[in-house]
Amino acid sequence: MTETHAVIILFGGSGDLARRKLYPALFGLYKRGILHDHFAVIGTARRPWTDEHYRDIICGALEDDSDYTLALARAFASHFYYQSHDVTDAAHYVTLKDLAQKLDDQYEAAGNRLFYMAMAPNFFSTIAEHIKSEALLAPNGFNRLVIEKPFGHDFASAKALNDSITATFHEEQIYRIDHYLGKEMTQALLALRFANPMFEAIWNKDYIQDMQITLAEAVGVETRAGYYETAGALRDMVQNHVMQLLGFLTMAKPAAMTPEAIHEVKREAFEQLHLYTEEEAAANFVRAQYGAATIAGTNIKAYRDEDGVAPDSLTETFVAGKILTDQPALAGVPIYVRTGKRLTRKSTQITVTFKPVGTGLFGEDAKASALTIYIEPTEGFTLQINGKTIGQAQSLMPEELHYQHDAQVTARAPEAYERLIENALEGDQTNFTNWHELAQTWRFVDVIESAWRKDNTMLTYTPGSMGPREASQLLAQTGSSWYWQP
Ligand code: BG6
């Protein structure tokens, strides 16, 4: 394993994301030797913390790691430095620059800089501008920017943000995070589609009846109402995570497994996303909010009664819709998507249903075959096929072939953030989004948002269910139904 040399400057060092995801991910890289002697992390945020306090926070964030010992955590945390920082104050960037240079010398970090934006998105542009104006880019090593979601609020704000970061960083220096791209089974979609001729050969409108993507969560809005009220399920989950999965499901075969080749076919796939008119968007998308319920003796608040949520909020906590692509190979194949909070249980899964063609011999008995890909929390596949009932009769019986990754192996595999930070450190942009994809997905989402703004109807659904009845009616229009019905 080659050790990476770098000074990592983290904007948002005191935040929740840093504690829950980034410090454990960096610790994973440390344990694997990818970060070891020649790295330093400068955490910045407004609070006036000392290095000692910051290092205590880092150690605290690692306690759940199966290899945690205080000695190991402290050795790792000794590479962390804290700099209180007002992102709008130019003088603070000069201090930051000097500290980065000092740590670069001390740790022999080869002049490499990784800037990581993990704070409130309204400051992303300001930070990028100051990195340029106060000359924080290192002259000799690499300079890379990792930027968290949300990348904008709509197409216009995403474009403004993109313009401001590209004024400081070149496209090949920018790593836009969508953590779904770091998940094991998202990455496995390419092998599934392009290393198995039986799927590759039938991945088209002649054989595929529909595709379904479900990102279900059991949790409610938790403590994030401030952000969530400005987003809703469509912006929070569909514009990014759902769309990235859709990109992998609909893109053509890349010419090679290189970042450039993969991004090229993904770009084509997003360019051929079928953009709706507002009327079509209203007819093909359903939104809803969770209501109140008592589940196993626990009272669940309705979304509108959650702390920080407006009593007349029109923010959706559930969305379901039908998406189409204009790609000739898959034109007309409905891609049904749904995601929401307070659904039956946490599960991310995809089902591709194949048309029951060529089964004239068996008539109505033949069911559609279906391939399900489990992304999380279980990782694996199920292929439903038509088998024969045991005995003399030549009648059909659906049978399921299952495969599931070993949970112990999965538990030891790097988590999404660890993979993505490793990719950014090694300069591999494969699992990051690029501007063309974001632009097109925002265009798609903007039409739905503007259709919804003209209609104040908000459906409700019972916590613990899989959303409102209308989400099933969407599929009934084409004679289909949700494959996963817990
Ligand atoms: C985030 C959303 O991007 O993804 C959250 O902002 C959501 O609302 C989360 O809970 C889900 O991620 P995962 O990896 O738990 O499926």
Side-chain angles (χ1 to χ4, degrees), residues 20-21 148-150 178-180 183 215-217 219-222 224 227-228 231 235-237 240-241 341 346-348 376 415-417:
R20 283 191 306 112
K21 299 287 184 187
E148 276 294 336
K149 69 170 277 246
D178 183 315
H179 76 282
Y180 268 63
K183 291 185 190 273
L215 273 61
E217 294 189 277
V219 293
V221 69
E222 302 179 288
R224 297 167 69 224
Y227 150 74
Y228 201 81
R235 290 190 177 100
D236 187 47
M237 299 289 273
N240 37 64
H241 310 322
K341 305 260 182 213
K346 170 79 183 169
S347 181
T348 300
E376 251 182 356
E415 203 263 339
Y417 267 97

PDB file of all heavy atoms in Angstrom, residues 20-21 148-150 178-180 183 215-217 219-222 224 227-228 231 235-237 240-241 341 346-348 376 415-417, ligand 1:
ATOM      1  N   ARG A  20     -19.194  11.818  12.269  1.00  0.00           N
ATOM      2  CA  ARG A  20     -19.824  10.527  12.000  1.00  0.00           C
ATOM      3  C   ARG A  20     -19.139   9.760  10.874  1.00  0.00           C
ATOM      4  O   ARG A  20     -19.074   8.545  10.890  1.00  0.00           O
ATOM      5  CB  ARG A  20     -21.304  10.718  11.649  1.00  0.00           C
ATOM      6  CG  ARG A  20     -22.190  10.981  12.863  1.00  0.00           C
ATOM      7  CD  ARG A  20     -23.662  10.896  12.505  1.00  0.00           C
ATOM      8  NE  ARG A  20     -24.000  11.771  11.385  1.00  0.00           N
ATOM      9  CZ  ARG A  20     -24.368  11.353  10.189  1.00  0.00           C
ATOM     10  NH1 ARG A  20     -24.467  10.083   9.929  1.00  0.00           N
ATOM     11  NH2 ARG A  20     -24.643  12.219   9.226  1.00  0.00           N
ATOM     12  N   LYS A  21     -18.670  10.502   9.874  1.00  0.00           N
ATOM     13  CA  LYS A  21     -18.180   9.824   8.666  1.00  0.00           C
ATOM     14  C   LYS A  21     -16.706  10.070   8.359  1.00  0.00           C
ATOM     15  O   LYS A  21     -15.982   9.141   8.020  1.00  0.00           O
ATOM     16  CB  LYS A  21     -19.012  10.278   7.439  1.00  0.00           C
ATOM     17  CG  LYS A  21     -20.479   9.964   7.526  1.00  0.00           C
ATOM     18  CD  LYS A  21     -20.733   8.495   7.327  1.00  0.00           C
ATOM     19  CE  LYS A  21     -22.209   8.164   7.303  1.00  0.00           C
ATOM     20  NZ  LYS A  21     -22.449   6.734   7.274  1.00  0.00           N
ATOM     21  N   GLU A 148     -18.943  18.472  -0.675  1.00  0.00           N
ATOM     22  CA  GLU A 148     -20.087  17.670  -0.236  1.00  0.00           C
ATOM     23  C   GLU A 148     -21.366  18.123  -0.917  1.00  0.00           C
ATOM     24  O   GLU A 148     -21.460  19.221  -1.450  1.00  0.00           O
ATOM     25  CB  GLU A 148     -20.255  17.829   1.285  1.00  0.00           C
ATOM     26  CG  GLU A 148     -19.373  16.915   2.100  1.00  0.00           C
ATOM     27  CD  GLU A 148     -19.738  15.442   1.939  1.00  0.00           C
ATOM     28  OE1 GLU A 148     -20.882  15.131   1.589  1.00  0.00           O
ATOM     29  OE2 GLU A 148     -18.841  14.610   2.165  1.00  0.00           O
ATOM     30  N   LYS A 149     -22.385  17.304  -0.828  1.00  0.00           N
ATOM     31  CA  LYS A 149     -23.708  17.734  -1.231  1.00  0.00           C
ATOM     32  C   LYS A 149     -24.317  18.593  -0.120  1.00  0.00           C
ATOM     33  O   LYS A 149     -23.824  18.504   1.006  1.00  0.00           O
ATOM     34  CB  LYS A 149     -24.593  16.519  -1.536  1.00  0.00           C
ATOM     35  CG  LYS A 149     -24.953  15.687  -0.299  1.00  0.00           C
ATOM     36  CD  LYS A 149     -25.993  14.659  -0.595  1.00  0.00           C
ATOM     37  CE  LYS A 149     -27.378  15.240  -0.551  1.00  0.00           C
ATOM     38  NZ  LYS A 149     -28.229  14.708   0.533  1.00  0.00           N
ATOM     39  N   PRO A 150     -25.340  19.378  -0.286  1.00  0.00           N
ATOM     40  CA  PRO A 150     -26.024  19.531  -1.567  1.00  0.00           C
ATOM     41  C   PRO A 150     -25.249  20.456  -2.506  1.00  0.00           C
ATOM     42  O   PRO A 150     -24.763  21.494  -2.082  1.00  0.00           O
ATOM     43  CB  PRO A 150     -27.363  20.163  -1.166  1.00  0.00           C
ATOM     44  CG  PRO A 150     -27.091  20.892   0.106  1.00  0.00           C
ATOM     45  CD  PRO A 150     -26.010  20.118   0.800  1.00  0.00           C
ATOM     46  N   ASP A 178     -20.923  12.106  -3.932  1.00  0.00           N
ATOM     47  CA  ASP A 178     -22.241  11.503  -3.744  1.00  0.00           C
ATOM     48  C   ASP A 178     -21.914  10.176  -3.092  1.00  0.00           C
ATOM     49  O   ASP A 178     -21.372   9.269  -3.745  1.00  0.00           O
ATOM     50  CB  ASP A 178     -22.959  11.279  -5.080  1.00  0.00           C
ATOM     51  CG  ASP A 178     -24.349  10.722  -4.855  1.00  0.00           C
ATOM     52  OD1 ASP A 178     -24.494   9.799  -4.031  1.00  0.00           O
ATOM     53  OD2 ASP A 178     -25.303  11.205  -5.484  1.00  0.00           O
ATOM     54  N   HIS A 179     -22.185  10.048  -1.804  1.00  0.00           N
ATOM     55  CA  HIS A 179     -21.637   8.888  -1.099  1.00  0.00           C
ATOM     56  C   HIS A 179     -22.213   7.560  -1.587  1.00  0.00           C
ATOM     57  O   HIS A 179     -21.636   6.515  -1.354  1.00  0.00           O
ATOM     58  CB  HIS A 179     -21.750   9.044   0.427  1.00  0.00           C
ATOM     59  CG  HIS A 179     -23.124   8.829   0.976  1.00  0.00           C
ATOM     60  ND1 HIS A 179     -24.114   9.771   0.898  1.00  0.00           N
ATOM     61  CD2 HIS A 179     -23.673   7.770   1.622  1.00  0.00           C
ATOM     62  CE1 HIS A 179     -25.209   9.296   1.475  1.00  0.00           C
ATOM     63  NE2 HIS A 179     -24.971   8.085   1.923  1.00  0.00           N
ATOM     64  N   TYR A 180     -23.337   7.627  -2.339  1.00  0.00           N
ATOM     65  CA  TYR A 180     -23.852   6.380  -2.908  1.00  0.00           C
ATOM     66  C   TYR A 180     -22.873   5.778  -3.914  1.00  0.00           C
ATOM     67  O   TYR A 180     -22.874   4.573  -4.144  1.00  0.00           O
ATOM     68  CB  TYR A 180     -25.238   6.595  -3.538  1.00  0.00           C
ATOM     69  CG  TYR A 180     -26.326   6.305  -2.529  1.00  0.00           C
ATOM     70  CD1 TYR A 180     -26.434   7.069  -1.370  1.00  0.00           C
ATOM     71  CD2 TYR A 180     -27.208   5.245  -2.697  1.00  0.00           C
ATOM     72  CE1 TYR A 180     -27.397   6.786  -0.417  1.00  0.00           C
ATOM     73  CE2 TYR A 180     -28.167   4.947  -1.748  1.00  0.00           C
ATOM     74  CZ  TYR A 180     -28.254   5.717  -0.612  1.00  0.00           C
ATOM     75  OH  TYR A 180     -29.199   5.417   0.340  1.00  0.00           O
ATOM     76  N   LYS A 183     -20.544   3.203  -2.330  1.00  0.00           N
ATOM     77  CA  LYS A 183     -21.082   1.966  -1.736  1.00  0.00           C
ATOM     78  C   LYS A 183     -20.671   0.753  -2.574  1.00  0.00           C
ATOM     79  O   LYS A 183     -20.658   0.807  -3.804  1.00  0.00           O
ATOM     80  CB  LYS A 183     -22.616   2.055  -1.647  1.00  0.00           C
ATOM     81  CG  LYS A 183     -23.079   3.090  -0.617  1.00  0.00           C
ATOM     82  CD  LYS A 183     -24.600   3.065  -0.483  1.00  0.00           C
ATOM     83  CE  LYS A 183     -25.114   4.238   0.334  1.00  0.00           C
ATOM     84  NZ  LYS A 183     -25.156   4.024   1.762  1.00  0.00           N
ATOM     85  N   LEU A 215     -35.210   3.649  -2.258  1.00  0.00           N
ATOM     86  CA  LEU A 215     -34.309   4.051  -1.171  1.00  0.00           C
ATOM     87  C   LEU A 215     -35.199   4.345   0.028  1.00  0.00           C
ATOM     88  O   LEU A 215     -35.730   5.457   0.162  1.00  0.00           O
ATOM     89  CB  LEU A 215     -33.521   5.323  -1.534  1.00  0.00           C
ATOM     90  CG  LEU A 215     -32.203   5.178  -2.311  1.00  0.00           C
ATOM     91  CD1 LEU A 215     -32.415   4.534  -3.665  1.00  0.00           C
ATOM     92  CD2 LEU A 215     -31.534   6.514  -2.485  1.00  0.00           C
ATOM     93  N   ALA A 216     -35.437   3.336   0.848  1.00  0.00           N
ATOM     94  CA  ALA A 216     -36.372   3.508   1.964  1.00  0.00           C
ATOM     95  C   ALA A 216     -35.604   3.726   3.256  1.00  0.00           C
ATOM     96  O   ALA A 216     -34.593   3.065   3.497  1.00  0.00           O
ATOM     97  CB  ALA A 216     -37.241   2.253   2.094  1.00  0.00           C
ATOM     98  N   GLU A 217     -36.100   4.638   4.064  1.00  0.00           N
ATOM     99  CA  GLU A 217     -35.497   4.872   5.378  1.00  0.00           C
ATOM    100  C   GLU A 217     -36.578   4.731   6.444  1.00  0.00           C
ATOM    101  O   GLU A 217     -37.725   5.142   6.226  1.00  0.00           O
ATOM    102  CB  GLU A 217     -34.928   6.280   5.455  1.00  0.00           C
ATOM    103  CG  GLU A 217     -33.756   6.499   4.526  1.00  0.00           C
ATOM    104  CD  GLU A 217     -33.096   7.836   4.800  1.00  0.00           C
ATOM    105  OE1 GLU A 217     -33.582   8.852   4.279  1.00  0.00           O
ATOM    106  OE2 GLU A 217     -32.129   7.854   5.555  1.00  0.00           O
ATOM    107  N   VAL A 219     -36.029   6.017   9.564  1.00  0.00           N
ATOM    108  CA  VAL A 219     -35.917   7.201  10.427  1.00  0.00           C
ATOM    109  C   VAL A 219     -36.768   8.347   9.887  1.00  0.00           C
ATOM    110  O   VAL A 219     -37.109   8.378   8.701  1.00  0.00           O
ATOM    111  CB  VAL A 219     -34.447   7.700  10.548  1.00  0.00           C
ATOM    112  CG1 VAL A 219     -33.592   6.694  11.297  1.00  0.00           C
ATOM    113  CG2 VAL A 219     -33.855   8.040   9.188  1.00  0.00           C
ATOM    114  N   GLY A 220     -37.084   9.290  10.767  1.00  0.00           N
ATOM    115  CA  GLY A 220     -37.786  10.494  10.345  1.00  0.00           C
ATOM    116  C   GLY A 220     -36.765  11.569   9.999  1.00  0.00           C
ATOM    117  O   GLY A 220     -35.618  11.263   9.654  1.00  0.00           O
ATOM    118  N   VAL A 221     -37.152  12.814  10.191  1.00  0.00           N
ATOM    119  CA  VAL A 221     -36.263  13.915   9.802  1.00  0.00           C
ATOM    120  C   VAL A 221     -35.142  14.110  10.838  1.00  0.00           C
ATOM    121  O   VAL A 221     -34.176  14.815  10.593  1.00  0.00           O
ATOM    122  CB  VAL A 221     -37.086  15.200   9.576  1.00  0.00           C
ATOM    123  CG1 VAL A 221     -37.635  15.724  10.889  1.00  0.00           C
ATOM    124  CG2 VAL A 221     -36.273  16.262   8.860  1.00  0.00           C
ATOM    125  N   GLU A 222     -35.276  13.455  11.980  1.00  0.00           N
ATOM    126  CA  GLU A 222     -34.290  13.546  13.069  1.00  0.00           C
ATOM    127  C   GLU A 222     -34.065  15.009  13.452  1.00  0.00           C
ATOM    128  O   GLU A 222     -35.023  15.751  13.588  1.00  0.00           O
ATOM    129  CB  GLU A 222     -33.002  12.824  12.673  1.00  0.00           C
ATOM    130  CG  GLU A 222     -33.252  11.338  12.344  1.00  0.00           C
ATOM    131  CD  GLU A 222     -32.018  10.589  11.914  1.00  0.00           C
ATOM    132  OE1 GLU A 222     -31.550  10.836  10.788  1.00  0.00           O
ATOM    133  OE2 GLU A 222     -31.526   9.750  12.698  1.00  0.00           O
ATOM    134  N   ARG A 224     -32.567  17.304  11.644  1.00  0.00           N
ATOM    135  CA  ARG A 224     -32.107  18.054  10.474  1.00  0.00           C
ATOM    136  C   ARG A 224     -33.194  18.887   9.812  1.00  0.00           C
ATOM    137  O   ARG A 224     -33.104  19.214   8.628  1.00  0.00           O
ATOM    138  CB  ARG A 224     -31.504  17.091   9.457  1.00  0.00           C
ATOM    139  CG  ARG A 224     -30.276  16.365   9.983  1.00  0.00           C
ATOM    140  CD  ARG A 224     -29.902  15.216   9.083  1.00  0.00           C
ATOM    141  NE  ARG A 224     -29.394  15.641   7.804  1.00  0.00           N
ATOM    142  CZ  ARG A 224     -29.751  15.104   6.632  1.00  0.00           C
ATOM    143  NH1 ARG A 224     -30.658  14.166   6.589  1.00  0.00           N
ATOM    144  NH2 ARG A 224     -29.215  15.520   5.515  1.00  0.00           N
ATOM    145  N   TYR A 227     -32.305  21.999   7.605  1.00  0.00           N
ATOM    146  CA  TYR A 227     -31.884  21.735   6.222  1.00  0.00           C
ATOM    147  C   TYR A 227     -33.020  21.104   5.426  1.00  0.00           C
ATOM    148  O   TYR A 227     -33.340  21.520   4.315  1.00  0.00           O
ATOM    149  CB  TYR A 227     -30.654  20.815   6.219  1.00  0.00           C
ATOM    150  CG  TYR A 227     -30.567  19.940   4.993  1.00  0.00           C
ATOM    151  CD1 TYR A 227     -30.200  20.493   3.764  1.00  0.00           C
ATOM    152  CD2 TYR A 227     -30.886  18.588   5.037  1.00  0.00           C
ATOM    153  CE1 TYR A 227     -30.148  19.701   2.615  1.00  0.00           C
ATOM    154  CE2 TYR A 227     -30.842  17.792   3.905  1.00  0.00           C
ATOM    155  CZ  TYR A 227     -30.469  18.349   2.697  1.00  0.00           C
ATOM    156  OH  TYR A 227     -30.439  17.577   1.578  1.00  0.00           O
ATOM    157  N   TYR A 228     -33.671  20.101   6.014  1.00  0.00           N
ATOM    158  CA  TYR A 228     -34.627  19.294   5.263  1.00  0.00           C
ATOM    159  C   TYR A 228     -35.808  20.127   4.755  1.00  0.00           C
ATOM    160  O   TYR A 228     -36.304  19.912   3.653  1.00  0.00           O
ATOM    161  CB  TYR A 228     -35.120  18.126   6.121  1.00  0.00           C
ATOM    162  CG  TYR A 228     -35.694  17.000   5.305  1.00  0.00           C
ATOM    163  CD1 TYR A 228     -34.859  16.069   4.688  1.00  0.00           C
ATOM    164  CD2 TYR A 228     -37.075  16.876   5.124  1.00  0.00           C
ATOM    165  CE1 TYR A 228     -35.384  15.046   3.916  1.00  0.00           C
ATOM    166  CE2 TYR A 228     -37.600  15.854   4.352  1.00  0.00           C
ATOM    167  CZ  TYR A 228     -36.753  14.935   3.759  1.00  0.00           C
ATOM    168  OH  TYR A 228     -37.273  13.915   2.986  1.00  0.00           O
ATOM    169  N   ALA A 231     -35.143  21.369   1.532  1.00  0.00           N
ATOM    170  CA  ALA A 231     -34.794  20.383   0.500  1.00  0.00           C
ATOM    171  C   ALA A 231     -35.996  19.517   0.147  1.00  0.00           C
ATOM    172  O   ALA A 231     -36.623  19.701  -0.897  1.00  0.00           O
ATOM    173  CB  ALA A 231     -33.626  19.526   0.983  1.00  0.00           C
ATOM    174  N   ARG A 235     -35.098  16.671  -3.641  1.00  0.00           N
ATOM    175  CA  ARG A 235     -33.748  17.245  -3.720  1.00  0.00           C
ATOM    176  C   ARG A 235     -32.745  16.454  -2.885  1.00  0.00           C
ATOM    177  O   ARG A 235     -31.587  16.319  -3.259  1.00  0.00           O
ATOM    178  CB  ARG A 235     -33.753  18.692  -3.206  1.00  0.00           C
ATOM    179  CG  ARG A 235     -34.472  19.668  -4.101  1.00  0.00           C
ATOM    180  CD  ARG A 235     -34.187  21.088  -3.599  1.00  0.00           C
ATOM    181  NE  ARG A 235     -34.789  22.076  -4.451  1.00  0.00           N
ATOM    182  CZ  ARG A 235     -35.939  22.698  -4.193  1.00  0.00           C
ATOM    183  NH1 ARG A 235     -36.610  22.409  -3.099  1.00  0.00           N
ATOM    184  NH2 ARG A 235     -36.408  23.595  -5.025  1.00  0.00           N
ATOM    185  N   ASP A 236     -33.203  15.970  -1.738  1.00  0.00           N
ATOM    186  CA  ASP A 236     -32.288  15.314  -0.795  1.00  0.00           C
ATOM    187  C   ASP A 236     -31.810  13.956  -1.315  1.00  0.00           C
ATOM    188  O   ASP A 236     -30.677  13.567  -1.065  1.00  0.00           O
ATOM    189  CB  ASP A 236     -33.013  15.137   0.553  1.00  0.00           C
ATOM    190  CG  ASP A 236     -32.107  14.611   1.658  1.00  0.00           C
ATOM    191  OD1 ASP A 236     -30.992  15.145   1.792  1.00  0.00           O
ATOM    192  OD2 ASP A 236     -32.510  13.690   2.386  1.00  0.00           O
ATOM    193  N   MET A 237     -32.660  13.245  -2.023  1.00  0.00           N
ATOM    194  CA  MET A 237     -32.317  11.864  -2.396  1.00  0.00           C
ATOM    195  C   MET A 237     -32.411  11.570  -3.903  1.00  0.00           C
ATOM    196  O   MET A 237     -31.629  10.775  -4.414  1.00  0.00           O
ATOM    197  CB  MET A 237     -33.253  10.889  -1.660  1.00  0.00           C
ATOM    198  CG  MET A 237     -33.181  10.943  -0.153  1.00  0.00           C
ATOM    199  SD  MET A 237     -31.655  10.268   0.530  1.00  0.00           S
ATOM    200  CE  MET A 237     -32.090   8.537   0.673  1.00  0.00           C
ATOM    201  N   ASN A 240     -29.704  13.348  -6.508  1.00  0.00           N
ATOM    202  CA  ASN A 240     -28.336  12.844  -6.396  1.00  0.00           C
ATOM    203  C   ASN A 240     -28.292  11.312  -6.369  1.00  0.00           C
ATOM    204  O   ASN A 240     -27.965  10.677  -7.356  1.00  0.00           O
ATOM    205  CB  ASN A 240     -27.677  13.452  -5.156  1.00  0.00           C
ATOM    206  CG  ASN A 240     -28.689  13.587  -4.021  1.00  0.00           C
ATOM    207  OD1 ASN A 240     -29.203  12.614  -3.513  1.00  0.00           O
ATOM    208  ND2 ASN A 240     -29.000  14.810  -3.635  1.00  0.00           N
ATOM    209  N   HIS A 241     -28.634  10.719  -5.220  1.00  0.00           N
ATOM    210  CA  HIS A 241     -28.411   9.279  -5.053  1.00  0.00           C
ATOM    211  C   HIS A 241     -29.214   8.427  -6.043  1.00  0.00           C
ATOM    212  O   HIS A 241     -28.678   7.535  -6.688  1.00  0.00           O
ATOM    213  CB  HIS A 241     -28.754   8.847  -3.626  1.00  0.00           C
ATOM    214  CG  HIS A 241     -28.124   9.690  -2.560  1.00  0.00           C
ATOM    215  ND1 HIS A 241     -26.852  10.186  -2.665  1.00  0.00           N
ATOM    216  CD2 HIS A 241     -28.587  10.136  -1.357  1.00  0.00           C
ATOM    217  CE1 HIS A 241     -26.560  10.885  -1.565  1.00  0.00           C
ATOM    218  NE2 HIS A 241     -27.608  10.876  -0.770  1.00  0.00           N
ATOM    219  N   LYS A 341     -38.761   8.985   4.120  1.00  0.00           N
ATOM    220  CA  LYS A 341     -38.458   8.798   5.536  1.00  0.00           C
ATOM    221  C   LYS A 341     -39.659   8.103   6.181  1.00  0.00           C
ATOM    222  O   LYS A 341     -40.778   8.192   5.677  1.00  0.00           O
ATOM    223  CB  LYS A 341     -38.267  10.159   6.218  1.00  0.00           C
ATOM    224  CG  LYS A 341     -37.198  11.035   5.539  1.00  0.00           C
ATOM    225  CD  LYS A 341     -35.896  10.983   6.255  1.00  0.00           C
ATOM    226  CE  LYS A 341     -34.851  11.881   5.634  1.00  0.00           C
ATOM    227  NZ  LYS A 341     -33.489  11.325   5.762  1.00  0.00           N
ATOM    228  N   LYS A 346     -35.282   0.311   6.679  1.00  0.00           N
ATOM    229  CA  LYS A 346     -34.180   0.813   5.870  1.00  0.00           C
ATOM    230  C   LYS A 346     -33.825  -0.217   4.814  1.00  0.00           C
ATOM    231  O   LYS A 346     -33.502  -1.367   5.131  1.00  0.00           O
ATOM    232  CB  LYS A 346     -32.961   1.043   6.787  1.00  0.00           C
ATOM    233  CG  LYS A 346     -31.666   1.348   6.059  1.00  0.00           C
ATOM    234  CD  LYS A 346     -31.609   2.773   5.609  1.00  0.00           C
ATOM    235  CE  LYS A 346     -30.354   3.076   4.821  1.00  0.00           C
ATOM    236  NZ  LYS A 346     -30.403   4.379   4.166  1.00  0.00           N
ATOM    237  N   SER A 347     -33.916   0.144   3.572  1.00  0.00           N
ATOM    238  CA  SER A 347     -33.460  -0.755   2.508  1.00  0.00           C
ATOM    239  C   SER A 347     -33.275   0.034   1.229  1.00  0.00           C
ATOM    240  O   SER A 347     -34.118   0.840   0.850  1.00  0.00           O
ATOM    241  CB  SER A 347     -34.459  -1.884   2.268  1.00  0.00           C
ATOM    242  OG  SER A 347     -33.956  -2.738   1.258  1.00  0.00           O
ATOM    243  N   THR A 348     -32.149  -0.200   0.591  1.00  0.00           N
ATOM    244  CA  THR A 348     -31.918   0.354  -0.739  1.00  0.00           C
ATOM    245  C   THR A 348     -31.831  -0.828  -1.672  1.00  0.00           C
ATOM    246  O   THR A 348     -31.001  -1.723  -1.474  1.00  0.00           O
ATOM    247  CB  THR A 348     -30.598   1.142  -0.776  1.00  0.00           C
ATOM    248  OG1 THR A 348     -30.683   2.198   0.174  1.00  0.00           O
ATOM    249  CG2 THR A 348     -30.348   1.730  -2.156  1.00  0.00           C
ATOM    250  N   GLU A 376     -28.180  -1.971   0.304  1.00  0.00           N
ATOM    251  CA  GLU A 376     -28.002  -1.825   1.746  1.00  0.00           C
ATOM    252  C   GLU A 376     -29.316  -2.053   2.475  1.00  0.00           C
ATOM    253  O   GLU A 376     -30.353  -1.742   1.906  1.00  0.00           O
ATOM    254  CB  GLU A 376     -27.519  -0.396   2.072  1.00  0.00           C
ATOM    255  CG  GLU A 376     -26.089  -0.373   2.509  1.00  0.00           C
ATOM    256  CD  GLU A 376     -25.623   1.028   2.869  1.00  0.00           C
ATOM    257  OE1 GLU A 376     -26.386   1.988   2.709  1.00  0.00           O
ATOM    258  OE2 GLU A 376     -24.502   1.140   3.295  1.00  0.00           O
ATOM    259  N   GLU A 415     -15.768   1.498   4.252  1.00  0.00           N
ATOM    260  CA  GLU A 415     -17.069   2.146   4.147  1.00  0.00           C
ATOM    261  C   GLU A 415     -16.994   3.188   3.011  1.00  0.00           C
ATOM    262  O   GLU A 415     -15.913   3.574   2.574  1.00  0.00           O
ATOM    263  CB  GLU A 415     -17.344   2.784   5.518  1.00  0.00           C
ATOM    264  CG  GLU A 415     -18.780   3.045   5.839  1.00  0.00           C
ATOM    265  CD  GLU A 415     -19.168   4.482   5.533  1.00  0.00           C
ATOM    266  OE1 GLU A 415     -18.255   5.329   5.467  1.00  0.00           O
ATOM    267  OE2 GLU A 415     -20.350   4.726   5.341  1.00  0.00           O
ATOM    268  N   ALA A 416     -18.192   3.626   2.546  1.00  0.00           N
ATOM    269  CA  ALA A 416     -18.248   4.490   1.358  1.00  0.00           C
ATOM    270  C   ALA A 416     -17.295   5.693   1.457  1.00  0.00           C
ATOM    271  O   ALA A 416     -16.526   5.979   0.534  1.00  0.00           O
ATOM    272  CB  ALA A 416     -19.679   4.963   1.140  1.00  0.00           C
ATOM    273  N   TYR A 417     -17.310   6.383   2.599  1.00  0.00           N
ATOM    274  CA  TYR A 417     -16.483   7.588   2.704  1.00  0.00           C
ATOM    275  C   TYR A 417     -14.994   7.271   2.661  1.00  0.00           C
ATOM    276  O   TYR A 417     -14.204   8.037   2.119  1.00  0.00           O
ATOM    277  CB  TYR A 417     -16.838   8.368   3.978  1.00  0.00           C
ATOM    278  CG  TYR A 417     -17.873   9.409   3.697  1.00  0.00           C
ATOM    279  CD1 TYR A 417     -19.216   9.170   3.944  1.00  0.00           C
ATOM    280  CD2 TYR A 417     -17.512  10.627   3.125  1.00  0.00           C
ATOM    281  CE1 TYR A 417     -20.172  10.120   3.650  1.00  0.00           C
ATOM    282  CE2 TYR A 417     -18.457  11.585   2.826  1.00  0.00           C
ATOM    283  CZ  TYR A 417     -19.789  11.327   3.093  1.00  0.00           C
ATOM    284  OH  TYR A 417     -20.722  12.271   2.774  1.00  0.00           O
TER     285      TYR A 417
HETATM  286  C1  BG6 B   1     -28.134  11.743   2.702  1.00  0.00           C
HETATM  287  C2  BG6 B   1     -29.433  12.442   2.980  1.00  0.00           C
HETATM  288  O1  BG6 B   1     -27.556  12.234   1.521  1.00  0.00           O
HETATM  289  O2  BG6 B   1     -28.357  10.349   2.573  1.00  0.00           O
HETATM  290  C3  BG6 B   1     -30.110  11.870   4.214  1.00  0.00           C
HETATM  291  O3  BG6 B   1     -29.196  13.830   3.164  1.00  0.00           O
HETATM  292  C4  BG6 B   1     -30.218  10.377   4.116  1.00  0.00           C
HETATM  293  O4  BG6 B   1     -31.383  12.467   4.404  1.00  0.00           O
HETATM  294  C5  BG6 B   1     -28.895   9.745   3.724  1.00  0.00           C
HETATM  295  O5  BG6 B   1     -30.641   9.891   5.370  1.00  0.00           O
HETATM  296  C6  BG6 B   1     -29.067   8.260   3.441  1.00  0.00           C
HETATM  297  O6  BG6 B   1     -27.819   7.687   3.240  1.00  0.00           O
HETATM  298  P1  BG6 B   1     -27.583   6.158   3.512  1.00  0.00           P
HETATM  299  O7  BG6 B   1     -26.175   5.897   3.135  1.00  0.00           O
HETATM  300  O8  BG6 B   1     -27.859   5.920   4.966  1.00  0.00           O
HETATM  301  O9  BG6 B   1     -28.584   5.409   2.667  1.00  0.00           O
END
